[in-house]
Every structure is written in C-alpha cells, then in structure tokens.
Amino acid sequence: MKLRKVTAASATVFALALTATACGGDSGNDSGSDGGGKTITVGIKFDQPGLGQKTPQGYAGFDVDVATYVAKKLGYNEDQIEWKEAKSADRETMLQRGDVDFIAATYSITPERQEKVDFAGPYLLAHQDVLVRADDNKIKSPEDLNNAKLCSVTGSTSAQNVKDKLAPKAQLQPYPTYSACLPGLQNGAVDALTTDDSILAGYAAQSQFKGKFKLGGFKLTNENYGIGVKKGSDLKDKINKALEDMVADKAWQEAVDKNLGPANYKNEPAPKIGEIKS
C-alpha cells in the first residue's frame, strides 16, 4: 500500500507540472518572430535627431516611427518594444548574436552586409548631400566645394570621398561628431557638412537650427535604408508586408514630413520592396 501511495502522489505532482507548463509557466522574455509575445527588441540609433534619438521624453525620429509601425503589425504595442542602441559598427554582430529582433538605424543595404544579415525593404532612398548655411549662395554644385572648409567627422569617409572624387581643393576641418559641426557651420568656421541627406535634414530640423541651414540637393550617392534581421529570419517577409502597408495607408509619408519636413527635405518616393538603386 505504501508503494501505491507514493506512486499516486508522484502522478499528482507530474500532472500539476504538465498543467503549469500548458498555462505558460515560462517567465522568459518570450520575444519571437510570430508576434504576441511579451516584448520585441529593436535596434535604433540613439544620437541622430529626426531619425533615431533618445530624449528625456522617450525615443523619436523617422526610424523610430517606422520601427513602431512594423512592431505593431507584428503584434506588439508600443509599450512592448524594448529599444537598444545600434551603433554602426555593432549592427551585424547584434543581429547575429540575437541581441535584437530587427534593426532600423539608417542601415544602408550593401552587398558586404547582405553576406552577414538579411534586409527587409528598402524603406527610404537617401543620398549623400551637403548642408550649408541658408544664406550661402556660393555652393551650388559639388565643384563649388573647392577651397571651401568642409567638416570632416571622425570615423566617417563622406568628406574624404568628396575631396578625392569631386573637389580636390576642399579643406577638410576635423570635428568629433556631426553635432559638433553644426555650431561651426552656423558661425562660419566651416562652409559645409556632408553625409546622407536624411541625416542632415534631421539635424537641421532641430528647433534651435530651423531656418538656418539648407540642403544642397546634390544626390552624390544612393543610400538604400533597410531593416536588418538575422540571416534566414522569417521576419523579413513579415516586415516587408508591414512596410508596404505603411506606405499604402499614408503613415510613411506622414512620418517623413513630421521628422524631416522642417528642414525642407525633399524625399524620394517610397521605394518598392526589393528595389535597390546603386
């Protein structure tokens, strides 16, 4: 009888364990590609005004709006998004390690990156351009940058590319960040700043700089921004569908106008999914 009592007790414990498992006893993060989990982790820039910026009020910018829309389509409310900073040099590693579910961080689609990660999109076609003072009428073409003082940001090749290929007499002035360039541009220490036009528009759209700068509109390169996912992830197709929906219901253009419009940014039409312009 004792043996039968022990066996019955064991069966009761086992049944309770099965019930707990069926009721979702796992207390993990439960972030997954099918949506509906507790949270989804998204990589963005924290230091790019107008695109991805961490502020005292939360997170703001065009990339943030795109990522929030996509997450909602995947089944996550805004308060279920966990934002992580995705610095340029860390993006592929973050995806490969599974630190984030996807990355929307001015992430240009290139053949080299496509060997390491997959991309949904593109969702924005940007171009390398220059930012100059609003009252400067001397710089009307890339060649006009000859003898001009061009802000050169540590770690960026944009200014050096202009000097090497378009304006060999440009005078590169080193600055640590794009943010540091803006006061220099405003007070005349430099004549121009160059990087992607979307990034320049984001900086120029800040309240303290509204109306003080303008974009050259030179379209020096094509930069196809995509949403990065882990290689082989089934999220790619789901995100592509979400991006198509965002364009169709006008939310995409509203996000562009809200975040970049104050700098008179003239955006390209929303690109077609899978169409990469070289």
Side-chain angles (χ1 to χ4, degrees):
M1 293 298 292
K2 286 184 179 179
L3 180 58
R4 283 198 297 274
K5 287 180 180 177
V6 171
T7 303
S10 299
T12 301
V13 171
F14 182 63
L16 289 171
L18 285 177
T19 302
T21 302
C23 291
D26 181 6
S27 60
N29 188 31
D30 204 22
S31 173
S33 60
D34 293 332
K38 292 184 179 67
T39 61
I40 187 167
T41 307
V42 180
I44 57 170
K45 292 291 180 68
F46 278 14
D47 59 353
Q48 285 185 341
L51 290 158
Q53 187 179 25
K54 184 178 182 180
T55 74
Q57 293 76 38
Y59 300 90
F62 176 68
D63 283 346
V64 175
D65 288 347
V66 170
T68 301
Y69 186 99
V70 167
K72 185 175 181 180
K73 287 290 185 177
L74 294 176
Y76 298 91
N77 295 323
E78 190 169 351
D79 61 2
Q80 292 176 294
I81 302 172
E82 179 185 350
W83 302 104
K84 280 195 174 181
E85 184 175 18
K87 295 180 179 179
S88 295
D90 299 336
R91 291 177 296 201
E92 285 85 39
T93 302
M94 291 177 71
L95 289 168
Q96 291 168 338
R97 283 194 314 227
D99 296 342
V100 292
D101 293 295
F102 67 82
I103 289 178
T106 58
Y107 202 179
S108 295
I109 302 171
T110 67
E112 295 77 18
R113 290 170 178 164
Q114 286 176 306
E115 292 178 2
K116 300 176 182 178
V117 301
D118 285 340
F119 285 96
Y123 65 92
L124 183 72
L125 177 61
H127 308 280
Q128 185 180 344
D129 200 357
V130 299
L131 191 71
V132 298
R133 289 180 292 280
D135 59 357
D136 186 341
N137 296 314
K138 296 178 181 178
I139 300 176
K140 298 179 180 179
S141 71
E143 291 73 23
D144 293 334
L145 293 169
N146 279 307
N147 299 314
K149 296 185 288 289
L150 183 62
C151 183
S152 178
V153 174
T154 304
S156 171
T157 60
S158 298
Q160 190 62 51
N161 287 341
V162 168
K163 182 176 177 65
D164 291 345
K165 300 175 183 179
L166 299 170
K169 294 182 181 179
Q171 302 171 30
L172 302 189
Q173 306 292 316
Y175 281 77
T177 64
Y178 292 113
S179 294
C181 285
L182 292 174
L185 181 58
Q186 187 175 357
N187 63 31
V190 295
D191 298 308
L193 165 62
T194 183
T195 187
D196 297 358
D197 54 6
S198 57
I199 296 174
L200 295 173
Y203 281 113
Q206 294 178 93
S207 57
Q208 67 269 36
F209 296 127
K210 283 182 183 178
K212 296 180 179 179
F213 304 121
K214 63 183 179 182
L215 291 162
F218 297 160
K219 298 185 178 182
L220 302 176
T221 63
N222 290 329
E223 305 296 335
N224 303 272
Y225 289 175
I227 293 181
V229 298
K230 190 173 184 178
K231 200 77 173 170
S233 172
D234 63 354
L235 275 180
K236 177 180 176 180
D237 290 340
K238 296 175 183 179
I239 293 174
N240 279 334
K241 178 61 169 64
L243 292 174
E244 290 176 337
D245 290 345
M246 189 176 186
V247 173
D249 67 16
K250 312 300 183 184
W252 182 87
Q253 188 61 55
E254 289 173 4
V256 173
D257 294 342
K258 179 183 77 173
N259 293 291
L260 305 176
N264 294 319
Y265 177 65
K266 295 177 175 59
N267 64 281
E268 296 278 7
K272 293 181 179 179
I273 299 300
E275 185 176 279
I276 311 298
K277 293 193 176 182
S278 58

